[in-house]
Amino acid sequence: MIAEDEGQARAALDALLVERRFGTERVLVEEHLEGEELSLLALCDGASAVPLASAQDYKRIFDDDRGPNTGGMGSYSPVPEVGAERARELCRLIHQPVLDELSLRGTPFHGVLYAGLMLTRDGPRVLEFNVRFGDPETQAILPRLEDDLLTLLEGAAIPGGLAGARIAWSPKTAVTLVLASRGYPESASTGDPIAGLDRVPSDVFVTHAGTARAADGSIVTAGGRVLSVTALGEDAADARDAAYAAAEMIEFEGRQLRRDIAVRAVRA
């Protein structure tokens, strides 16, 4: 929950600790940060961190960043202000010290280190770390990868296996839209038939997350974030148009879809 002022913070604490919404027993209160969010993933080989392409995630359920946080309602890659050099700079500042400390502790880390950042006026601040590919950023990042992913992952598994690695990326922009079920994020509607998947163009990626196959063989909703739709374009505007056009072909009862994904990139 993101509180804009003390009143909202107190209301949130009351809902969580008095009403026991979500069965909450403990609450972590953090500083409210303002700025642009950035997701920067890095492949790590135990000694060094190699950044992947930058991406921006949209956490809140409604347009203009309103409503409660979700697991992510969409993303795009790259972020205009964060090119390859800036990504390497942030990686040296954020990811590399984590790897160095883990090595000192005798637990070198191999894999993907995901840093959720806020680019504030006082510099980058870490919102969260994850040790996995992030959703929905990965859906926007990997379609732009021009190197072989398996080769990179094999390098990450070997101590020092990514030394000197520079990853090649398509100059195209990718935009990912998340289609969520009715009631999400408070709840999730399940069993709603999904129509239109067969109408999506072959060059658009549709990733299933909260879906299931019904007894009659049809695809139905089975979770909060149901599908993600990713399109590539020569620029952010082209990718955005293609993603939204494809998303409109997919229908299910109560579908939720943010309409402002990647607007910042189009305006940049």
PDB file of all heavy atoms in Angstrom, residues 125-145:
ATOM      1  N   ARG A 125      17.395   4.774  -5.453  1.00  0.00           N
ATOM      2  CA  ARG A 125      17.124   4.109  -4.180  1.00  0.00           C
ATOM      3  C   ARG A 125      16.544   2.732  -4.479  1.00  0.00           C
ATOM      4  O   ARG A 125      15.734   2.580  -5.387  1.00  0.00           O
ATOM      5  CB  ARG A 125      16.133   4.916  -3.332  1.00  0.00           C
ATOM      6  CG  ARG A 125      16.652   6.281  -2.915  1.00  0.00           C
ATOM      7  CD  ARG A 125      17.768   6.150  -1.876  1.00  0.00           C
ATOM      8  NE  ARG A 125      18.233   7.447  -1.397  1.00  0.00           N
ATOM      9  CZ  ARG A 125      19.219   8.155  -1.951  1.00  0.00           C
ATOM     10  NH1 ARG A 125      19.827   7.664  -3.033  1.00  0.00           N
ATOM     11  NH2 ARG A 125      19.592   9.307  -1.450  1.00  0.00           N
ATOM     12  N   VAL A 126      16.941   1.748  -3.688  1.00  0.00           N
ATOM     13  CA  VAL A 126      16.484   0.379  -3.898  1.00  0.00           C
ATOM     14  C   VAL A 126      15.132   0.177  -3.226  1.00  0.00           C
ATOM     15  O   VAL A 126      14.982   0.422  -2.026  1.00  0.00           O
ATOM     16  CB  VAL A 126      17.502  -0.635  -3.341  1.00  0.00           C
ATOM     17  CG1 VAL A 126      16.964  -2.061  -3.481  1.00  0.00           C
ATOM     18  CG2 VAL A 126      18.828  -0.511  -4.069  1.00  0.00           C
ATOM     19  N   LEU A 127      14.150  -0.273  -4.001  1.00  0.00           N
ATOM     20  CA  LEU A 127      12.844  -0.640  -3.469  1.00  0.00           C
ATOM     21  C   LEU A 127      12.822  -2.104  -3.054  1.00  0.00           C
ATOM     22  O   LEU A 127      12.228  -2.465  -2.038  1.00  0.00           O
ATOM     23  CB  LEU A 127      11.751  -0.396  -4.513  1.00  0.00           C
ATOM     24  CG  LEU A 127      11.564   1.043  -4.999  1.00  0.00           C
ATOM     25  CD1 LEU A 127      10.561   1.074  -6.149  1.00  0.00           C
ATOM     26  CD2 LEU A 127      11.094   1.933  -3.859  1.00  0.00           C
ATOM     27  N   GLU A 128      13.426  -2.949  -3.859  1.00  0.00           N
ATOM     28  CA  GLU A 128      13.409  -4.385  -3.574  1.00  0.00           C
ATOM     29  C   GLU A 128      14.478  -5.095  -4.389  1.00  0.00           C
ATOM     30  O   GLU A 128      14.933  -4.605  -5.421  1.00  0.00           O
ATOM     31  CB  GLU A 128      12.047  -4.987  -3.928  1.00  0.00           C
ATOM     32  CG  GLU A 128      11.683  -4.846  -5.402  1.00  0.00           C
ATOM     33  CD  GLU A 128      10.395  -5.542  -5.777  1.00  0.00           C
ATOM     34  OE1 GLU A 128       9.956  -6.439  -5.015  1.00  0.00           O
ATOM     35  OE2 GLU A 128       9.825  -5.216  -6.826  1.00  0.00           O
ATOM     36  N   PHE A 129      14.893  -6.241  -3.871  1.00  0.00           N
ATOM     37  CA  PHE A 129      15.720  -7.178  -4.617  1.00  0.00           C
ATOM     38  C   PHE A 129      14.936  -8.485  -4.776  1.00  0.00           C
ATOM     39  O   PHE A 129      14.216  -8.901  -3.860  1.00  0.00           O
ATOM     40  CB  PHE A 129      17.025  -7.499  -3.879  1.00  0.00           C
ATOM     41  CG  PHE A 129      18.084  -6.442  -3.980  1.00  0.00           C
ATOM     42  CD1 PHE A 129      18.555  -5.798  -2.849  1.00  0.00           C
ATOM     43  CD2 PHE A 129      18.623  -6.099  -5.211  1.00  0.00           C
ATOM     44  CE1 PHE A 129      19.542  -4.835  -2.931  1.00  0.00           C
ATOM     45  CE2 PHE A 129      19.616  -5.131  -5.310  1.00  0.00           C
ATOM     46  CZ  PHE A 129      20.072  -4.491  -4.163  1.00  0.00           C
ATOM     47  N   ASN A 130      15.077  -9.110  -5.916  1.00  0.00           N
ATOM     48  CA  ASN A 130      14.562 -10.454  -6.137  1.00  0.00           C
ATOM     49  C   ASN A 130      15.652 -11.276  -6.808  1.00  0.00           C
ATOM     50  O   ASN A 130      16.506 -10.720  -7.503  1.00  0.00           O
ATOM     51  CB  ASN A 130      13.313 -10.453  -7.030  1.00  0.00           C
ATOM     52  CG  ASN A 130      12.105  -9.879  -6.328  1.00  0.00           C
ATOM     53  OD1 ASN A 130      11.657 -10.389  -5.305  1.00  0.00           O
ATOM     54  ND2 ASN A 130      11.562  -8.801  -6.856  1.00  0.00           N
ATOM     55  N   VAL A 131      15.622 -12.567  -6.606  1.00  0.00           N
ATOM     56  CA  VAL A 131      16.615 -13.430  -7.260  1.00  0.00           C
ATOM     57  C   VAL A 131      15.893 -14.289  -8.296  1.00  0.00           C
ATOM     58  O   VAL A 131      15.790 -15.507  -8.172  1.00  0.00           O
ATOM     59  CB  VAL A 131      17.388 -14.290  -6.230  1.00  0.00           C
ATOM     60  CG1 VAL A 131      18.378 -13.425  -5.482  1.00  0.00           C
ATOM     61  CG2 VAL A 131      16.448 -14.978  -5.246  1.00  0.00           C
ATOM     62  N   ARG A 132      15.375 -13.617  -9.309  1.00  0.00           N
ATOM     63  CA  ARG A 132      14.613 -14.275 -10.375  1.00  0.00           C
ATOM     64  C   ARG A 132      14.406 -13.269 -11.499  1.00  0.00           C
ATOM     65  O   ARG A 132      14.613 -12.064 -11.325  1.00  0.00           O
ATOM     66  CB  ARG A 132      13.252 -14.730  -9.855  1.00  0.00           C
ATOM     67  CG  ARG A 132      12.423 -13.584  -9.252  1.00  0.00           C
ATOM     68  CD  ARG A 132      11.019 -14.017  -8.933  1.00  0.00           C
ATOM     69  NE  ARG A 132      10.268 -13.007  -8.206  1.00  0.00           N
ATOM     70  CZ  ARG A 132       9.711 -11.932  -8.728  1.00  0.00           C
ATOM     71  NH1 ARG A 132       9.867 -11.688 -10.027  1.00  0.00           N
ATOM     72  NH2 ARG A 132       9.018 -11.089  -8.000  1.00  0.00           N
ATOM     73  N   PHE A 133      13.954 -13.753 -12.643  1.00  0.00           N
ATOM     74  CA  PHE A 133      13.458 -12.863 -13.681  1.00  0.00           C
ATOM     75  C   PHE A 133      12.155 -12.250 -13.174  1.00  0.00           C
ATOM     76  O   PHE A 133      11.329 -12.927 -12.561  1.00  0.00           O
ATOM     77  CB  PHE A 133      13.190 -13.641 -14.971  1.00  0.00           C
ATOM     78  CG  PHE A 133      14.420 -13.943 -15.773  1.00  0.00           C
ATOM     79  CD1 PHE A 133      14.936 -15.228 -15.813  1.00  0.00           C
ATOM     80  CD2 PHE A 133      15.046 -12.949 -16.509  1.00  0.00           C
ATOM     81  CE1 PHE A 133      16.067 -15.519 -16.559  1.00  0.00           C
ATOM     82  CE2 PHE A 133      16.170 -13.229 -17.261  1.00  0.00           C
ATOM     83  CZ  PHE A 133      16.692 -14.509 -17.282  1.00  0.00           C
ATOM     84  N   GLY A 134      11.953 -10.960 -13.395  1.00  0.00           N
ATOM     85  CA  GLY A 134      10.778 -10.276 -12.879  1.00  0.00           C
ATOM     86  C   GLY A 134       9.636 -10.257 -13.876  1.00  0.00           C
ATOM     87  O   GLY A 134       9.844 -10.180 -15.081  1.00  0.00           O
ATOM     88  N   ASP A 135       8.434 -10.347 -13.360  1.00  0.00           N
ATOM     89  CA  ASP A 135       7.222 -10.316 -14.173  1.00  0.00           C
ATOM     90  C   ASP A 135       6.473  -9.019 -13.871  1.00  0.00           C
ATOM     91  O   ASP A 135       6.270  -8.703 -12.706  1.00  0.00           O
ATOM     92  CB  ASP A 135       6.368 -11.534 -13.796  1.00  0.00           C
ATOM     93  CG  ASP A 135       4.959 -11.493 -14.354  1.00  0.00           C
ATOM     94  OD1 ASP A 135       4.801 -11.075 -15.506  1.00  0.00           O
ATOM     95  OD2 ASP A 135       4.026 -11.876 -13.633  1.00  0.00           O
ATOM     96  N   PRO A 136       6.097  -8.196 -14.852  1.00  0.00           N
ATOM     97  CA  PRO A 136       6.083  -8.461 -16.295  1.00  0.00           C
ATOM     98  C   PRO A 136       7.274  -7.894 -17.071  1.00  0.00           C
ATOM     99  O   PRO A 136       7.230  -7.834 -18.301  1.00  0.00           O
ATOM    100  CB  PRO A 136       4.799  -7.757 -16.732  1.00  0.00           C
ATOM    101  CG  PRO A 136       4.752  -6.537 -15.853  1.00  0.00           C
ATOM    102  CD  PRO A 136       5.297  -6.982 -14.526  1.00  0.00           C
ATOM    103  N   GLU A 137       8.324  -7.481 -16.366  1.00  0.00           N
ATOM    104  CA  GLU A 137       9.455  -6.905 -17.088  1.00  0.00           C
ATOM    105  C   GLU A 137      10.118  -7.893 -18.042  1.00  0.00           C
ATOM    106  O   GLU A 137      10.524  -7.520 -19.150  1.00  0.00           O
ATOM    107  CB  GLU A 137      10.507  -6.386 -16.088  1.00  0.00           C
ATOM    108  CG  GLU A 137      10.035  -5.239 -15.226  1.00  0.00           C
ATOM    109  CD  GLU A 137       9.440  -5.697 -13.905  1.00  0.00           C
ATOM    110  OE1 GLU A 137       8.922  -6.845 -13.840  1.00  0.00           O
ATOM    111  OE2 GLU A 137       9.498  -4.930 -12.939  1.00  0.00           O
ATOM    112  N   THR A 138      10.243  -9.138 -17.615  1.00  0.00           N
ATOM    113  CA  THR A 138      10.918 -10.127 -18.448  1.00  0.00           C
ATOM    114  C   THR A 138      10.237 -10.287 -19.804  1.00  0.00           C
ATOM    115  O   THR A 138      10.905 -10.490 -20.824  1.00  0.00           O
ATOM    116  CB  THR A 138      10.968 -11.476 -17.725  1.00  0.00           C
ATOM    117  OG1 THR A 138      11.628 -11.290 -16.469  1.00  0.00           O
ATOM    118  CG2 THR A 138      11.719 -12.504 -18.529  1.00  0.00           C
ATOM    119  N   GLN A 139       8.898 -10.198 -19.821  1.00  0.00           N
ATOM    120  CA  GLN A 139       8.168 -10.333 -21.079  1.00  0.00           C
ATOM    121  C   GLN A 139       8.525  -9.220 -22.062  1.00  0.00           C
ATOM    122  O   GLN A 139       8.437  -9.410 -23.277  1.00  0.00           O
ATOM    123  CB  GLN A 139       6.656 -10.328 -20.824  1.00  0.00           C
ATOM    124  CG  GLN A 139       6.146 -11.571 -20.125  1.00  0.00           C
ATOM    125  CD  GLN A 139       6.077 -11.407 -18.628  1.00  0.00           C
ATOM    126  OE1 GLN A 139       7.042 -10.993 -17.990  1.00  0.00           O
ATOM    127  NE2 GLN A 139       4.934 -11.732 -18.053  1.00  0.00           N
ATOM    128  N   ALA A 140       8.925  -8.042 -21.539  1.00  0.00           N
ATOM    129  CA  ALA A 140       9.331  -6.937 -22.407  1.00  0.00           C
ATOM    130  C   ALA A 140      10.813  -6.972 -22.735  1.00  0.00           C
ATOM    131  O   ALA A 140      11.238  -6.487 -23.791  1.00  0.00           O
ATOM    132  CB  ALA A 140       8.974  -5.598 -21.753  1.00  0.00           C
ATOM    133  N   ILE A 141      11.609  -7.556 -21.845  1.00  0.00           N
ATOM    134  CA  ILE A 141      13.057  -7.554 -22.035  1.00  0.00           C
ATOM    135  C   ILE A 141      13.515  -8.653 -23.001  1.00  0.00           C
ATOM    136  O   ILE A 141      14.257  -8.398 -23.962  1.00  0.00           O
ATOM    137  CB  ILE A 141      13.772  -7.717 -20.674  1.00  0.00           C
ATOM    138  CG1 ILE A 141      13.569  -6.456 -19.821  1.00  0.00           C
ATOM    139  CG2 ILE A 141      15.262  -7.994 -20.865  1.00  0.00           C
ATOM    140  CD1 ILE A 141      14.054  -6.613 -18.387  1.00  0.00           C
ATOM    141  N   LEU A 142      13.100  -9.884 -22.757  1.00  0.00           N
ATOM    142  CA  LEU A 142      13.658 -11.007 -23.522  1.00  0.00           C
ATOM    143  C   LEU A 142      13.355 -10.971 -25.017  1.00  0.00           C
ATOM    144  O   LEU A 142      14.202 -11.414 -25.810  1.00  0.00           O
ATOM    145  CB  LEU A 142      13.211 -12.335 -22.916  1.00  0.00           C
ATOM    146  CG  LEU A 142      13.830 -12.686 -21.562  1.00  0.00           C
ATOM    147  CD1 LEU A 142      13.441 -14.095 -21.150  1.00  0.00           C
ATOM    148  CD2 LEU A 142      15.359 -12.546 -21.593  1.00  0.00           C
ATOM    149  N   PRO A 143      12.198 -10.475 -25.482  1.00  0.00           N
ATOM    150  CA  PRO A 143      12.002 -10.403 -26.935  1.00  0.00           C
ATOM    151  C   PRO A 143      13.009  -9.498 -27.641  1.00  0.00           C
ATOM    152  O   PRO A 143      13.175  -9.607 -28.857  1.00  0.00           O
ATOM    153  CB  PRO A 143      10.572  -9.860 -27.075  1.00  0.00           C
ATOM    154  CG  PRO A 143       9.889 -10.303 -25.834  1.00  0.00           C
ATOM    155  CD  PRO A 143      10.941 -10.173 -24.762  1.00  0.00           C
ATOM    156  N   ARG A 144      13.687  -8.627 -26.905  1.00  0.00           N
ATOM    157  CA  ARG A 144      14.671  -7.722 -27.501  1.00  0.00           C
ATOM    158  C   ARG A 144      16.083  -8.312 -27.476  1.00  0.00           C
ATOM    159  O   ARG A 144      17.008  -7.719 -28.049  1.00  0.00           O
ATOM    160  CB  ARG A 144      14.672  -6.386 -26.751  1.00  0.00           C
ATOM    161  CG  ARG A 144      13.337  -5.653 -26.768  1.00  0.00           C
ATOM    162  CD  ARG A 144      13.445  -4.277 -26.101  1.00  0.00           C
ATOM    163  NE  ARG A 144      14.509  -3.502 -26.696  1.00  0.00           N
ATOM    164  CZ  ARG A 144      15.567  -3.041 -25.999  1.00  0.00           C
ATOM    165  NH1 ARG A 144      15.688  -3.296 -24.703  1.00  0.00           N
ATOM    166  NH2 ARG A 144      16.510  -2.351 -26.620  1.00  0.00           N
ATOM    167  N   LEU A 145      16.245  -9.457 -26.825  1.00  0.00           N
ATOM    168  CA  LEU A 145      17.572 -10.060 -26.701  1.00  0.00           C
ATOM    169  C   LEU A 145      18.028 -10.621 -28.041  1.00  0.00           C
ATOM    170  O   LEU A 145      17.322 -11.410 -28.670  1.00  0.00           O
ATOM    171  CB  LEU A 145      17.529 -11.172 -25.647  1.00  0.00           C
ATOM    172  CG  LEU A 145      18.830 -11.939 -25.410  1.00  0.00           C
ATOM    173  CD1 LEU A 145      19.892 -11.020 -24.817  1.00  0.00           C
ATOM    174  CD2 LEU A 145      18.562 -13.129 -24.486  1.00  0.00           C
TER     175      LEU A 145
END
